[in-house]
Amino acid sequence: MALMTGEQYVESMRKMKLNVYMFGKKIENPVDDPVLRPSLNSVKATYDLAQMPEYEDLMTVTLEDGRKVNRFTNIHRNTDDLIKKVKMQRLCGQKTAACFQRCVGMDAFNAEWSTTYEIDKKYGTNYHENFKKFVRMVQDEDLTVDGAMTDPKGDRGLAPHAQADPDLYLHVVERREDGVVVRGAKAHQTGIINSQEVIVMPTIAMGPDDKDYAISFAVPTDAEGITMIIGRQSCDTRKLEGSQMDVGNSEFGGVEALVVFDNVFVPNDRIFLNGENEFAGMLVERFAGYHRQSYGGCKVGVGDVLIGAAALAADYNGAQKASHVKDKLIEMTHLNETLYCCGIACSAEGRPTESGNYLIDLLLANVCKQNVTRFPYEIARLAEDIAGGLMVTAPSEKDLRDPVVGPYVEKYFRGVASVSTENRLRCLRLIENLTLGTAAVGYRTESMHGAGSPQAQRIMISRQGNIAMKKELAKAIAKISE
Ligand code: SF4
Ligand code: FE
């Protein structure tokens, strides 16, 4: 099958028999659920954009064998692929102002591709062939894949095998001739409900006692034993009130879920790591590295929308000529483009792995993500500064439409006379959505903790920073001989 259209993707999700719970109830039809639908629409955008001739070069890849695939299913063949990946993510962020979820699969793909190759080389296993077969299927069917890494982790001071509850890290509970049975959970899974497949990876480097936890595989998201429990987001139930205006971004969004694997069977040909514990760390480091690169694209695209909304709010307030407003927009742009520089730089400095696919420069990717843990917060602060307090005190759309109080809302919340009160409020609701509402999950807290919390990047930066070499540089300049 060739590339799917957005509609075909939606129909393919409709056929899945996902086991989804939200607000204490099983959701029989997640595709058409008003709280969940915006998150599906964000993934749909990755299919729709791939159909548009003007985005073909960013959104699709024509492989050496002539197959044209969505870039979200690509195995990066050179630094150009890595750079285009980031540009594609910025584009998708600009078009959705949300998490479009499909990157985790792409990042898992590339981490697994090189890691399985290196495991096979050492142990003579068959993981790379298994993985290649899986990738081929995903590319040819144009599927969306969730990359699931984060375990609940229980007591952070204890290794997986030492936890009071052994299921706090996902692990093998039964080994059979034809495969393994696994139990555990993955937390914060963006996109799981909008994916047809999930790649599961370990979440930390592991020792010999954790062999049962050093497991990686792929299964369909509706495999028996999988349950998804949707996380709450600030302002989530506004989506049930029927107001397009009050939600700020009515079409797109993202949701996260706890995914429980309760004795899920994994056939042998879907296994990519099984007990080779010393490779768990490599898989984690590479996946995290790719995803830290990803944020230099997606968060920048969302930042573009937020900067635009702040500039619009200034226009509607009649404050666009104030020098401090101009300066704040410059600062927001500077911060946002700095993130983009990092995303592009770690891509341009990419290198081939032993398997041949390209890995980003890990130091620069970690610097990228470390900046992402800070700059979106400052961009959001400046957007709130420019927007003004009305962003959080404005009445609802129902009040604006009410025959009695509507005229008051219309009259007293107008900024410049040439702009309708409704448009002014729509703009403020978008800023609210991105800084405090449902999208703040993706733009703020995920910027902090997604792809690893700040300390995880600092550890990588300290490992890769090569201070010893820098000391030698200083000694040479200062003519120090020891
Ligand atoms: Fe992609 Fe960004 Fe969402 Fe991660 S947070 S899946 S990189 S859009
Ligand atoms: Fe993420």
Side-chain angles (χ1 to χ4, degrees):
M1 186 172 171
L3 295 173
M4 270 205 270
T5 64
E7 284 312 320
Q8 286 169 332
Y9 159 69
V10 173
E11 287 319 304
S12 79
M13 287 313 301
R14 222 183 271 288
K15 290 193 195 108
M16 304 290 296
K17 304 222 173 334
L18 301 184
N19 190 23
V20 180
Y21 281 77
M22 181 171 61
F23 303 141
K25 284 198 197 95
K26 179 159 175 164
I27 307 297
E28 297 298 345
N29 177 7
V31 167
D32 296 308
D33 185 274
V35 173
L36 304 176
R37 181 58 189 243
S39 76
L40 182 88
N41 288 342
S42 301
V43 180
K44 178 175 174 283
T46 69
Y47 290 87
D48 288 333
L49 290 167
Q51 299 282 333
M52 298 166 75
E54 62 269 45
Y55 301 129
E56 187 185 2
D57 183 49
L58 282 191
M59 298 297 305
T60 67
V61 178
T62 302
L63 301 173
E64 283 65 28
D65 60 10
R67 285 180 300 136
K68 186 174 163 190
V69 301
N70 191 297
R71 190 174 293 281
F72 280 100
T73 68
N74 186 38
I75 300 294
H76 313 304
R77 303 154 302 170
N78 44 47
T79 53
D80 193 47
D81 272 356
L82 290 170
I83 290 170
K84 281 188 178 151
K85 170 195 162 184
V86 172
K87 292 187 175 183
M88 168 183 74
Q89 288 167 313
R90 184 171 189 170
L91 172 73
C92 293
Q94 290 172 340
K95 298 293 186 188
T96 62
C99 168
F100 35 89
Q101 306 147 54
R102 219 174 160 186
C103 329
V104 280
M106 167 177 50
D107 293 343
F109 263 36
N110 281 279
E112 292 274 11
W113 187 271
S114 57
T115 306
T116 51
Y117 182 92
E118 289 176 47
I119 307 171
D120 286 359
K121 201 175 124 191
K122 179 165 178 190
Y123 288 105
T125 40
N126 202 43
Y127 301 139
H128 192 61
E129 282 308 311
N130 288 350
F131 194 68
K132 268 168 121 169
K133 210 173 89 188
F134 177 72
V135 169
R136 177 79 197 216
M137 178 202 73
V138 169
Q139 288 178 335
D140 290 350
E141 296 183 22
D142 200 10
L143 302 180
T144 291
V145 181
D146 181 43
M149 178 163 276
T150 312
D151 290 86
K153 299 204 279 277
D155 183 337
R156 270 61 173 171
L158 297 174
H161 71 274
Q163 296 286 330
D165 181 341
D167 300 341
L168 289 171
Y169 286 78
L170 188 138
H171 62 128
V172 176
V173 290
E174 190 189 337
R175 295 184 185 279
R176 293 169 24 178
E177 193 75 357
D178 52 349
V180 296
V181 176
V182 298
R183 190 159 64 225
K186 293 289 176 180
H188 324 306
Q189 287 311 299
T190 336
I192 184 82
I193 62 160
N194 302 318
S195 302
Q196 295 100 341
E197 293 276 343
V198 54
I199 296 177
V200 170
M201 297 162 282
T203 197
I204 49 168
M206 288 180 180
D209 293 334
D210 293 322
K211 279 191 183 302
D212 285 341
Y213 294 83
I215 179 79
S216 181
F217 58 87
V219 283
T221 45
D222 57 1
E224 207 184 324
I226 295 183
T227 302
M228 305 168 191
I229 309 165
I230 303 292
R232 286 226 69 163
Q233 293 178 330
S234 159
C235 308
D236 48 10
T237 47
R238 278 197 200 181
K239 288 183 266 188
L240 298 171
E241 294 168 6
S243 164
Q244 187 195 70
M245 193 174 131
D246 286 359
V247 293
N249 182 352
S250 56
E251 194 171 344
F252 301 108
V255 292
E256 301 73 31
L258 174 75
V259 189
V260 178
F261 294 77
D262 193 3
N263 295 331
V264 173
F265 174 68
V266 185
N268 283 329
D269 67 349
R270 287 291 199 104
I271 296 176
F272 316 130
L273 168 79
N274 186 7
E276 298 80 6
N277 58 280
E278 74 275 28
F279 284 95
M282 179 187 287
L283 194 52
V284 174
E285 189 174 290
R286 291 181 181 179
F287 172 75
Y290 283 121
H291 211 55
R292 289 168 194 175
Q293 168 209 27
S294 287
Y295 281 26
C298 80
K299 304 298 179 203
V300 179
V302 179
D304 287 329
V305 177
L306 183 54
I307 293 168
L312 211 51
D315 291 350
Y316 293 174
N317 285 343
Q320 72 274 30
K321 293 207 180 89
S323 63
H324 73 96
V325 169
K326 284 190 201 156
D327 193 57
K328 280 163 192 159
L329 291 169
I330 292 168
E331 178 65 8
M332 291 163 87
T333 305
H334 164 70
L335 292 169
N336 206 40
E337 298 300 335
T338 303
L339 299 180
Y340 188 54
C341 292
C342 293
I344 295 293
C346 69
S347 308
E349 290 287 297
R351 293 275 178 276
T353 63
E354 283 183 40
S355 68
N357 76 334
Y358 268 60
L359 182 65
I360 59 305
D361 181 282
L362 283 172
L363 174 60
L364 298 185
N366 278 277
V367 169
C368 178
K369 173 67 214 313
Q370 181 80 180
N371 284 334
V372 171
T373 67
R374 299 172 181 165
F375 296 177
Y377 283 84
E378 182 60 12
I379 294 170
R381 192 183 76 82
L382 291 166
E384 285 186 47
D385 181 345
I386 292 172
L390 185 57
M391 177 190 127
V392 289
T393 63
S396 68
E397 180 176 3
K398 282 197 179 115
D399 294 307
L400 178 68
R401 312 270 181 233
D402 186 77
V404 179
V405 298
Y408 290 142
V409 175
E410 180 73 47
K411 176 181 164 78
Y412 289 110
F413 288 130
R414 186 166 285 235
V416 296
S418 59
V419 176
S420 70
T421 302
E422 175 172 337
N423 283 353
R424 185 172 179 225
L425 293 179
R426 278 182 183 274
C427 176
L428 295 176
R429 287 294 177 212
L430 172 58
I431 299 175
E432 182 197 33
N433 170 258
L434 286 163
T435 56
L436 302 167
T438 52
V441 173
Y443 191 61
R444 293 174 60 133
T445 312
E446 194 186 24
S447 287
M448 179 71 80
H449 294 293
S453 306
Q455 190 57 22
Q457 290 111 53
R458 298 188 82 78
I459 292 167
M460 283 301 291
I461 290 170
S462 87
R463 267 195 226 150
Q464 310 261 336
N466 206 350
I467 298 290
M469 179 272 287
K470 288 166 187 162
K471 282 198 248 180
E472 292 309 316
L473 294 176
K475 280 193 220 166
I477 298 289
K479 311 276 183 238
I480 295 170
S481 56
E482 284 177 347

